Amino acid sequence: MSASQAVVTQFLPLAADTFDKNKVTPGILGFIVFAALALGVWGLMKSMSRHMGRVNFEEAPAPAPAGATAPKDTDRP
């Protein structure tokens, strides 16, 4: 028997009187996991915002096709 099983078998009868099977909450472990996930998402969003600020969105003009010439001015003689 492992140590965790021994602890559970020792303390489970003590909690049986106060344990309500219809009212289960995530407890402190659930809060810690949720807080860690929230901090991770916040850090990723901050990093993404920083990286998106460095991106240059200006497009270069499209190169002219090889056979195309500049339009001629036909109004002049």
Side-chain angles (χ1 to χ4, degrees), residues 26-40:
I28 190 73
L29 180 62
F31 175 74
I32 291 171
V33 169
F34 182 77
L37 287 172
L39 284 173

Side-chain angles (χ1 to χ4, degrees), residues 4-75:
S4 62
Q5 288 176 339
V7 169
V8 169
T9 57
Q10 291 293 325
F11 292 112
L12 191 58
L14 297 176
D17 296 333
T18 60
F19 183 71
D20 185 11
K21 292 182 181 179
N22 296 325
K23 188 177 182 182
V24 179
T25 62
I28 190 73
L29 180 62
F31 175 74
I32 291 171
V33 169
F34 182 77
L37 287 172
L39 284 173
V41 168
W42 177 77
L44 286 172
M45 292 297 290
K46 187 169 180 156
S47 174
M48 184 185 71
S49 176
R50 192 176 313 132
H51 281 88
M52 291 299 284
R54 294 179 187 165
V55 175
N56 183 7
F57 287 108
E58 295 178 16
E59 290 188 26
T69 58
K72 295 181 181 178
D73 190 9
T74 56
D75 293 338

